[in-house]
Amino acid sequence: DVTLRFGTKTLFSDVNLKFVNNECYGIVGANGAGKSTFLKLLNGDIETTHGEIIIPKNERISILEQDHYKYDEEMVIDVVIMGNKKLYDIREEKNKLYQKSDFTDADGIKLGELEAEFLDMNGWDAETDASKLHSNLGVDINLHYLKMKELENNDKVKVLLAKSIFQNPDILLLDEPTNNLDINAINWLSEFIINYQNCVIVVSHDRHFLNTVCTSIVDIDYHKMTLYKGNYDFFVESNLLMQKQIKDANKKREEK
């Protein structure tokens, strides 16, 4: 029963949908219909006007960030690892303890606990895993240890995309993921999503991409959200058929 309003404007009302694993959902609709806003709602960036979004406990959710300048002062490889916040925080806390000049016994105990947790999370493979993602998306190895502000915009997009998928989230939210990507990166991302066993929800104007990766389409129209099984082409055919049926029914009514 999710409803979202901004002042007197209603984006959508009384929405009842369930998103499950092993599915990729494409969110479509006219410009201004609320597609990107819907992803922010799922991510918890904004609250519903009415109704609730239920995410199972301990499920990890990740969203492709749109602010290309947010991490300008951070090292490229570190930004990807930030995709797993818990792992990144442990790594930072460890490094601070190692740099302490007045290292105490309590610090030693704490460091031992952090090292054990870091090992359990495969922390020592983090940079290697981040580098693999970069390579798959076409980010040159020479850029991995630069600051984000030194990168071209298309490389920043790839880094933020790598960050969003780094922790293998249970729910992956992608807003226009193919923007500024070259064909090789798009092909790799498409293959990644097709083989991804968790839940993916994507907003895109790239019809070929939606056709390739989506197993279902959610259409935002007239404040309602309707789920269609199948890819984008199947959704278009279903929509045209439904419109024809409505027109035929209206015509019969008028003739009668």
Side-chain angles (χ1 to χ4, degrees), residues 206-250:
D206 186 337
R207 293 184 177 190
H208 177 72
F209 179 71
L210 291 176
N211 258 338
T212 303
V213 303
C214 290
T215 54
S216 296
I217 297 291
V218 176
D219 180 35
I220 304 178
D221 194 26
Y222 296 108
H223 314 314
K224 299 296 179 185
M225 298 182 73
T226 308
L227 177 68
Y228 296 83
K229 292 295 290 183
N231 65 8
Y232 186 81
D233 279 349
F234 185 80
F235 152 70
V236 172
E237 290 172 11
S238 300
N239 216 13
L240 289 173
L241 179 62
M242 188 168 65
Q243 288 176 25
K244 183 178 183 302
Q245 288 173 339
I246 291 170
K247 283 180 182 177
D248 289 347
N250 287 340

CSV table of all heavy atoms in Angstrom, one decimal, residues 206-250:
chain,number,residue,atom,x,y,z
A,206,ASP,N,17.8,2.6,-22.0
A,206,ASP,CA,18.4,1.8,-23.0
A,206,ASP,C,17.5,0.5,-23.2
A,206,ASP,O,17.6,-0.4,-22.5
A,206,ASP,CB,19.8,1.4,-22.5
A,206,ASP,CG,20.6,0.6,-23.6
A,206,ASP,OD1,20.0,0.0,-24.5
A,206,ASP,OD2,21.8,0.6,-23.5
A,207,ARG,N,16.7,0.6,-24.3
A,207,ARG,CA,15.8,-0.5,-24.5
A,207,ARG,C,16.5,-1.9,-24.8
A,207,ARG,O,16.0,-2.9,-24.4
A,207,ARG,CB,14.8,-0.2,-25.7
A,207,ARG,CG,13.9,1.0,-25.4
A,207,ARG,CD,13.0,1.3,-26.5
A,207,ARG,NE,12.0,2.3,-26.1
A,207,ARG,CZ,11.0,2.7,-26.8
A,207,ARG,NH1,10.7,2.0,-28.0
A,207,ARG,NH2,10.2,3.6,-26.5
A,208,HIS,N,17.6,-1.8,-25.5
A,208,HIS,CA,18.3,-3.0,-25.8
A,208,HIS,C,18.8,-3.7,-24.5
A,208,HIS,O,18.7,-4.9,-24.3
A,208,HIS,CB,19.5,-2.7,-26.8
A,208,HIS,CG,20.3,-4.0,-27.0
A,208,HIS,ND1,19.8,-5.0,-27.9
A,208,HIS,CD2,21.5,-4.3,-26.6
A,208,HIS,CE1,20.8,-5.9,-27.9
A,208,HIS,NE2,21.8,-5.6,-27.2
A,209,PHE,N,19.3,-2.8,-23.6
A,209,PHE,CA,19.8,-3.3,-22.3
A,209,PHE,C,18.7,-3.9,-21.5
A,209,PHE,O,18.8,-5.0,-20.9
A,209,PHE,CB,20.4,-2.1,-21.5
A,209,PHE,CG,21.0,-2.5,-20.2
A,209,PHE,CD1,22.1,-3.3,-20.0
A,209,PHE,CD2,20.3,-2.0,-19.0
A,209,PHE,CE1,22.6,-3.6,-18.8
A,209,PHE,CE2,20.8,-2.4,-17.8
A,209,PHE,CZ,22.0,-3.1,-17.7
A,210,LEU,N,17.5,-3.2,-21.5
A,210,LEU,CA,16.4,-3.8,-20.7
A,210,LEU,C,15.9,-5.1,-21.3
A,210,LEU,O,15.6,-6.0,-20.6
A,210,LEU,CB,15.2,-2.8,-20.8
A,210,LEU,CG,15.4,-1.5,-20.0
A,210,LEU,CD1,14.2,-0.6,-20.2
A,210,LEU,CD2,15.6,-1.8,-18.5
A,211,ASN,N,15.9,-5.2,-22.7
A,211,ASN,CA,15.5,-6.4,-23.3
A,211,ASN,C,16.5,-7.6,-23.0
A,211,ASN,O,16.1,-8.7,-22.8
A,211,ASN,CB,15.5,-6.2,-24.8
A,211,ASN,CG,14.1,-6.1,-25.4
A,211,ASN,OD1,13.2,-6.5,-24.8
A,211,ASN,ND2,14.0,-5.4,-26.5
A,212,THR,N,17.8,-7.2,-22.8
A,212,THR,CA,18.8,-8.3,-22.6
A,212,THR,C,18.7,-8.8,-21.2
A,212,THR,O,18.9,-10.0,-20.9
A,212,THR,CB,20.2,-7.7,-22.9
A,212,THR,OG1,20.2,-7.2,-24.2
A,212,THR,CG2,21.3,-8.7,-22.7
A,213,VAL,N,18.5,-7.9,-20.2
A,213,VAL,CA,18.7,-8.3,-18.8
A,213,VAL,C,17.4,-8.5,-18.0
A,213,VAL,O,17.4,-9.3,-17.0
A,213,VAL,CB,19.6,-7.3,-18.0
A,213,VAL,CG1,20.9,-7.1,-18.7
A,213,VAL,CG2,18.9,-5.9,-17.8
A,214,CYS,N,16.3,-7.9,-18.4
A,214,CYS,CA,15.1,-7.9,-17.6
A,214,CYS,C,14.3,-9.2,-17.7
A,214,CYS,O,14.1,-9.7,-18.8
A,214,CYS,CB,14.2,-6.7,-17.9
A,214,CYS,SG,15.0,-5.2,-17.3
A,215,THR,N,13.8,-9.7,-16.6
A,215,THR,CA,12.9,-10.8,-16.6
A,215,THR,C,11.4,-10.3,-16.3
A,215,THR,O,10.5,-11.0,-16.6
A,215,THR,CB,13.3,-11.9,-15.5
A,215,THR,OG1,13.4,-11.2,-14.3
A,215,THR,CG2,14.6,-12.5,-15.9
A,216,SER,N,11.3,-9.1,-15.8
A,216,SER,CA,10.0,-8.5,-15.6
A,216,SER,C,10.2,-7.0,-15.8
A,216,SER,O,11.2,-6.4,-15.6
A,216,SER,CB,9.5,-8.7,-14.1
A,216,SER,OG,9.3,-10.1,-13.9
A,217,ILE,N,9.0,-6.3,-16.1
A,217,ILE,CA,9.0,-4.9,-16.3
A,217,ILE,C,7.9,-4.3,-15.3
A,217,ILE,O,6.8,-4.8,-15.2
A,217,ILE,CB,8.7,-4.5,-17.7
A,217,ILE,CG1,9.7,-5.0,-18.7
A,217,ILE,CG2,8.5,-3.0,-17.9
A,217,ILE,CD1,11.1,-4.3,-18.6
A,218,VAL,N,8.3,-3.2,-14.7
A,218,VAL,CA,7.3,-2.5,-13.8
A,218,VAL,C,7.0,-1.1,-14.5
A,218,VAL,O,8.0,-0.3,-14.6
A,218,VAL,CB,7.8,-2.3,-12.4
A,218,VAL,CG1,6.8,-1.5,-11.6
A,218,VAL,CG2,8.0,-3.7,-11.7
A,219,ASP,N,5.8,-0.9,-14.9
A,219,ASP,CA,5.4,0.3,-15.6
A,219,ASP,C,4.8,1.3,-14.6
A,219,ASP,O,3.8,1.0,-13.9
A,219,ASP,CB,4.4,0.0,-16.7
A,219,ASP,CG,4.0,1.2,-17.5
A,219,ASP,OD1,4.9,2.1,-17.7
A,219,ASP,OD2,2.9,1.3,-18.0
A,220,ILE,N,5.3,2.5,-14.5
A,220,ILE,CA,4.7,3.6,-13.7
A,220,ILE,C,3.9,4.4,-14.7
A,220,ILE,O,4.4,5.1,-15.6
A,220,ILE,CB,5.8,4.5,-13.0
A,220,ILE,CG1,6.7,3.6,-12.2
A,220,ILE,CG2,5.1,5.5,-12.1
A,220,ILE,CD1,7.8,4.4,-11.5
A,221,ASP,N,2.5,4.4,-14.5
A,221,ASP,CA,1.7,5.2,-15.4
A,221,ASP,C,0.4,5.6,-14.6
A,221,ASP,O,-0.2,4.7,-13.9
A,221,ASP,CB,1.3,4.3,-16.6
A,221,ASP,CG,0.7,5.0,-17.7
A,221,ASP,OD1,0.9,6.3,-17.8
A,221,ASP,OD2,-0.1,4.4,-18.5
A,222,TYR,N,0.0,6.9,-14.7
A,222,TYR,CA,-1.1,7.4,-14.0
A,222,TYR,C,-1.1,7.0,-12.5
A,222,TYR,O,-2.1,6.5,-12.0
A,222,TYR,CB,-2.4,6.9,-14.7
A,222,TYR,CG,-2.6,7.3,-16.1
A,222,TYR,CD1,-2.4,6.5,-17.1
A,222,TYR,CD2,-2.9,8.7,-16.4
A,222,TYR,CE1,-2.6,6.9,-18.5
A,222,TYR,CE2,-3.1,9.1,-17.7
A,222,TYR,CZ,-2.9,8.2,-18.7
A,222,TYR,OH,-3.0,8.7,-20.0
A,223,HIS,N,0.0,7.2,-11.9
A,223,HIS,CA,0.2,7.0,-10.4
A,223,HIS,C,0.1,5.6,-10.0
A,223,HIS,O,0.1,5.3,-8.8
A,223,HIS,CB,-0.8,7.9,-9.6
A,223,HIS,CG,-1.0,9.3,-10.0
A,223,HIS,ND1,0.1,10.1,-10.3
A,223,HIS,CD2,-2.1,10.0,-10.3
A,223,HIS,CE1,-0.3,11.3,-10.7
A,223,HIS,NE2,-1.6,11.3,-10.7
A,224,LYS,N,0.0,4.7,-11.0
A,224,LYS,CA,-0.1,3.2,-10.6
A,224,LYS,C,1.2,2.5,-11.1
A,224,LYS,O,1.9,3.0,-12.0
A,224,LYS,CB,-1.3,2.6,-11.3
A,224,LYS,CG,-2.6,3.2,-10.9
A,224,LYS,CD,-2.9,2.9,-9.4
A,224,LYS,CE,-4.2,3.5,-8.9
A,224,LYS,NZ,-4.4,3.4,-7.4
A,225,MET,N,1.5,1.4,-10.5
A,225,MET,CA,2.7,0.6,-10.9
A,225,MET,C,2.2,-0.8,-11.2
A,225,MET,O,1.6,-1.5,-10.4
A,225,MET,CB,3.7,0.6,-9.8
A,225,MET,CG,4.3,2.0,-9.5
A,225,MET,SD,5.6,2.0,-8.3
A,225,MET,CE,7.0,1.3,-9.2
A,226,THR,N,2.4,-1.2,-12.5
A,226,THR,CA,1.9,-2.5,-13.0
A,226,THR,C,3.1,-3.4,-13.4
A,226,THR,O,4.0,-3.0,-14.1
A,226,THR,CB,1.0,-2.3,-14.2
A,226,THR,OG1,0.0,-1.4,-13.9
A,226,THR,CG2,0.3,-3.6,-14.6
A,227,LEU,N,3.1,-4.6,-12.9
A,227,LEU,CA,4.1,-5.6,-13.1
A,227,LEU,C,3.8,-6.5,-14.3
A,227,LEU,O,2.7,-7.1,-14.4
A,227,LEU,CB,4.3,-6.5,-11.9
A,227,LEU,CG,5.4,-7.6,-12.0
A,227,LEU,CD1,6.8,-7.0,-12.2
A,227,LEU,CD2,5.3,-8.5,-10.8
A,228,TYR,N,4.7,-6.5,-15.3
A,228,TYR,CA,4.5,-7.4,-16.5
A,228,TYR,C,5.7,-8.4,-16.5
A,228,TYR,O,6.9,-8.0,-16.3
A,228,TYR,CB,4.6,-6.6,-17.8
A,228,TYR,CG,3.5,-5.6,-18.0
A,228,TYR,CD1,3.6,-4.3,-17.4
A,228,TYR,CD2,2.4,-5.9,-18.8
A,228,TYR,CE1,2.6,-3.4,-17.6
A,228,TYR,CE2,1.4,-5.0,-19.0
A,228,TYR,CZ,1.5,-3.7,-18.4
A,228,TYR,OH,0.5,-2.8,-18.5
A,229,LYS,N,5.4,-9.7,-16.6
A,229,LYS,CA,6.4,-10.7,-16.7
A,229,LYS,C,7.0,-10.7,-18.1
A,229,LYS,O,6.3,-10.5,-19.1
A,229,LYS,CB,5.9,-12.1,-16.4
A,229,LYS,CG,5.5,-12.3,-15.0
A,229,LYS,CD,6.6,-12.2,-14.0
A,229,LYS,CE,7.5,-13.4,-14.2
A,229,LYS,NZ,8.7,-13.4,-13.2
A,230,GLY,N,8.3,-10.8,-18.3
A,230,GLY,CA,8.9,-10.8,-19.6
A,230,GLY,C,9.8,-9.6,-19.7
A,230,GLY,O,9.8,-8.7,-18.9
A,231,ASN,N,10.5,-9.5,-20.9
A,231,ASN,CA,11.4,-8.4,-21.1
A,231,ASN,C,10.7,-7.1,-21.7
A,231,ASN,O,9.4,-7.1,-21.7
A,231,ASN,CB,12.5,-8.8,-22.1
A,231,ASN,CG,12.1,-9.2,-23.4
A,231,ASN,OD1,10.9,-9.0,-23.8
A,231,ASN,ND2,13.0,-9.7,-24.2
A,232,TYR,N,11.4,-6.1,-22.1
A,232,TYR,CA,10.8,-4.9,-22.5
A,232,TYR,C,9.9,-5.0,-23.8
A,232,TYR,O,8.8,-4.5,-23.8
A,232,TYR,CB,11.9,-3.8,-22.8
A,232,TYR,CG,11.3,-2.5,-23.1
A,232,TYR,CD1,10.9,-1.6,-22.0
A,232,TYR,CD2,11.1,-2.0,-24.4
A,232,TYR,CE1,10.4,-0.4,-22.3
A,232,TYR,CE2,10.6,-0.8,-24.7
A,232,TYR,CZ,10.2,0.1,-23.6
A,232,TYR,OH,9.7,1.3,-23.8
A,233,ASP,N,10.3,-5.8,-24.8
A,233,ASP,CA,9.5,-6.0,-26.0
A,233,ASP,C,8.2,-6.6,-25.6
A,233,ASP,O,7.1,-6.3,-26.2
A,233,ASP,CB,10.3,-6.9,-27.0
A,233,ASP,CG,11.3,-6.1,-27.8
A,233,ASP,OD1,11.3,-4.8,-27.7
A,233,ASP,OD2,12.1,-6.7,-28.5
A,234,PHE,N,8.2,-7.6,-24.7
A,234,PHE,CA,7.0,-8.3,-24.3
A,234,PHE,C,6.1,-7.3,-23.6
A,234,PHE,O,4.8,-7.3,-23.8
A,234,PHE,CB,7.3,-9.5,-23.4
A,234,PHE,CG,6.1,-10.3,-23.1
A,234,PHE,CD1,5.6,-11.2,-23.9
A,234,PHE,CD2,5.4,-10.1,-21.8
A,234,PHE,CE1,4.4,-12.0,-23.6
A,234,PHE,CE2,4.3,-10.8,-21.5
A,234,PHE,CZ,3.8,-11.8,-22.4
A,235,PHE,N,6.6,-6.4,-22.8
A,235,PHE,CA,5.8,-5.4,-22.1
A,235,PHE,C,5.2,-4.5,-23.1
A,235,PHE,O,4.0,-4.2,-23.0
A,235,PHE,CB,6.7,-4.6,-21.2
A,235,PHE,CG,6.3,-3.2,-20.9
A,235,PHE,CD1,5.1,-2.9,-20.2
A,235,PHE,CD2,7.0,-2.1,-21.5
A,235,PHE,CE1,4.7,-1.6,-20.0
A,235,PHE,CE2,6.6,-0.8,-21.3
A,235,PHE,CZ,5.4,-0.6,-20.6
A,236,VAL,N,5.9,-4.0,-24.1
A,236,VAL,CA,5.3,-3.2,-25.2
A,236,VAL,C,4.2,-3.8,-25.9
A,236,VAL,O,3.1,-3.2,-26.1
A,236,VAL,CB,6.4,-2.7,-26.2
A,236,VAL,CG1,5.8,-2.0,-27.3
A,236,VAL,CG2,7.5,-1.8,-25.5
A,237,GLU,N,4.4,-5.1,-26.3
A,237,GLU,CA,3.3,-5.8,-26.9
A,237,GLU,C,2.1,-6.0,-26.1
A,237,GLU,O,0.9,-5.8,-26.5
A,237,GLU,CB,3.8,-7.2,-27.4
A,237,GLU,CG,4.8,-7.2,-28.5
A,237,GLU,CD,5.5,-8.5,-28.8
A,237,GLU,OE1,5.0,-9.5,-28.2
A,237,GLU,OE2,6.5,-8.6,-29.5
A,238,SER,N,2.3,-6.3,-24.8
A,238,SER,CA,1.2,-6.5,-23.8
A,238,SER,C,0.5,-5.2,-23.6
A,238,SER,O,-0.8,-5.2,-23.6
A,238,SER,CB,1.7,-7.0,-22.5
A,238,SER,OG,2.4,-8.2,-22.6
A,239,ASN,N,1.2,-4.1,-23.6
A,239,ASN,CA,0.6,-2.8,-23.4
A,239,ASN,C,-0.2,-2.4,-24.5
A,239,ASN,O,-1.4,-1.8,-24.4
A,239,ASN,CB,1.7,-1.8,-23.1
A,239,ASN,CG,1.3,-0.7,-22.1
A,239,ASN,OD1,0.3,-0.9,-21.4
A,239,ASN,ND2,2.1,0.4,-22.0
A,240,LEU,N,0.3,-2.6,-25.8
A,240,LEU,CA,-0.5,-2.3,-27.0
A,240,LEU,C,-1.7,-3.1,-27.1
A,240,LEU,O,-2.8,-2.6,-27.5
A,240,LEU,CB,0.4,-2.5,-28.2
A,240,LEU,CG,1.6,-1.5,-28.4
A,240,LEU,CD1,2.5,-1.9,-29.6
A,240,LEU,CD2,1.0,-0.1,-28.7
A,241,LEU,N,-1.6,-4.4,-26.7
A,241,LEU,CA,-2.8,-5.2,-26.8
A,241,LEU,C,-3.9,-4.8,-25.8
A,241,LEU,O,-5.1,-4.7,-26.1
A,241,LEU,CB,-2.4,-6.7,-26.5
A,241,LEU,CG,-3.5,-7.7,-26.4
A,241,LEU,CD1,-4.2,-7.8,-27.8
A,241,LEU,CD2,-3.0,-9.1,-26.0
A,242,MET,N,-3.4,-4.4,-24.6
A,242,MET,CA,-4.3,-3.9,-23.6
A,242,MET,C,-5.0,-2.6,-24.0
A,242,MET,O,-6.3,-2.5,-23.8
A,242,MET,CB,-3.6,-3.7,-22.2
A,242,MET,CG,-4.5,-3.4,-21.1
A,242,MET,SD,-3.6,-3.5,-19.5
A,242,MET,CE,-2.5,-2.1,-19.7
A,243,GLN,N,-4.3,-1.7,-24.6
A,243,GLN,CA,-4.9,-0.4,-25.1
A,243,GLN,C,-5.9,-0.7,-26.2
A,243,GLN,O,-6.9,-0.1,-26.3
A,243,GLN,CB,-3.7,0.5,-25.6
A,243,GLN,CG,-2.9,1.1,-24.5
A,243,GLN,CD,-1.7,1.9,-25.1
A,243,GLN,OE1,-1.8,2.4,-26.2
A,243,GLN,NE2,-0.7,2.0,-24.3
A,244,LYS,N,-5.6,-1.7,-27.1
A,244,LYS,CA,-6.5,-2.0,-28.2
A,244,LYS,C,-7.8,-2.6,-27.6
A,244,LYS,O,-8.9,-2.3,-28.1
A,244,LYS,CB,-5.8,-3.1,-29.1
A,244,LYS,CG,-6.7,-3.4,-30.3
A,244,LYS,CD,-6.0,-4.4,-31.2
A,244,LYS,CE,-6.8,-4.8,-32.5
A,244,LYS,NZ,-8.1,-5.3,-32.1
A,245,GLN,N,-7.6,-3.5,-26.6
A,245,GLN,CA,-8.8,-4.0,-26.0
A,245,GLN,C,-9.7,-3.0,-25.3
A,245,GLN,O,-10.9,-3.0,-25.4
A,245,GLN,CB,-8.4,-5.1,-24.9
A,245,GLN,CG,-7.8,-6.4,-25.5
A,245,GLN,CD,-7.3,-7.3,-24.5
A,245,GLN,OE1,-6.9,-6.9,-23.4
A,245,GLN,NE2,-7.1,-8.6,-24.8
A,246,ILE,N,-9.1,-2.0,-24.7
A,246,ILE,CA,-9.8,-0.9,-24.1
A,246,ILE,C,-10.5,-0.1,-25.1
A,246,ILE,O,-11.7,0.3,-25.0
A,246,ILE,CB,-8.9,0.0,-23.2
A,246,ILE,CG1,-8.4,-0.7,-22.0
A,246,ILE,CG2,-9.6,1.3,-22.8
A,246,ILE,CD1,-7.3,0.0,-21.2
A,247,LYS,N,-9.8,0.2,-26.2
A,247,LYS,CA,-10.4,1.0,-27.3
A,247,LYS,C,-11.6,0.3,-28.0
A,247,LYS,O,-12.7,0.8,-28.2
A,247,LYS,CB,-9.4,1.3,-28.4
A,247,LYS,CG,-8.4,2.4,-28.1
A,247,LYS,CD,-7.4,2.7,-29.2
A,247,LYS,CE,-6.4,3.7,-28.8
A,247,LYS,NZ,-5.4,3.9,-29.9
A,248,ASP,N,-11.4,-1.1,-28.2
A,248,ASP,CA,-12.5,-1.9,-28.7
A,248,ASP,C,-13.7,-1.9,-27.8
A,248,ASP,O,-14.9,-1.8,-28.3
A,248,ASP,CB,-12.0,-3.3,-29.0
A,248,ASP,CG,-11.0,-3.4,-30.1
A,248,ASP,OD1,-10.9,-2.4,-30.9
A,248,ASP,OD2,-10.3,-4.4,-30.3
A,249,ALA,N,-13.5,-2.0,-26.5
A,249,ALA,CA,-14.6,-2.1,-25.5
A,249,ALA,C,-15.3,-0.7,-25.5
A,249,ALA,O,-16.5,-0.7,-25.5
A,249,ALA,CB,-14.0,-2.4,-24.1
A,250,ASN,N,-14.5,0.4,-25.6
A,250,ASN,CA,-15.2,1.7,-25.7
A,250,ASN,C,-16.0,1.9,-26.9
A,250,ASN,O,-17.1,2.5,-26.9
A,250,ASN,CB,-14.1,2.8,-25.6
A,250,ASN,CG,-13.5,2.9,-24.2
A,250,ASN,OD1,-14.1,2.5,-23.2
A,250,ASN,ND2,-12.3,3.5,-24.1
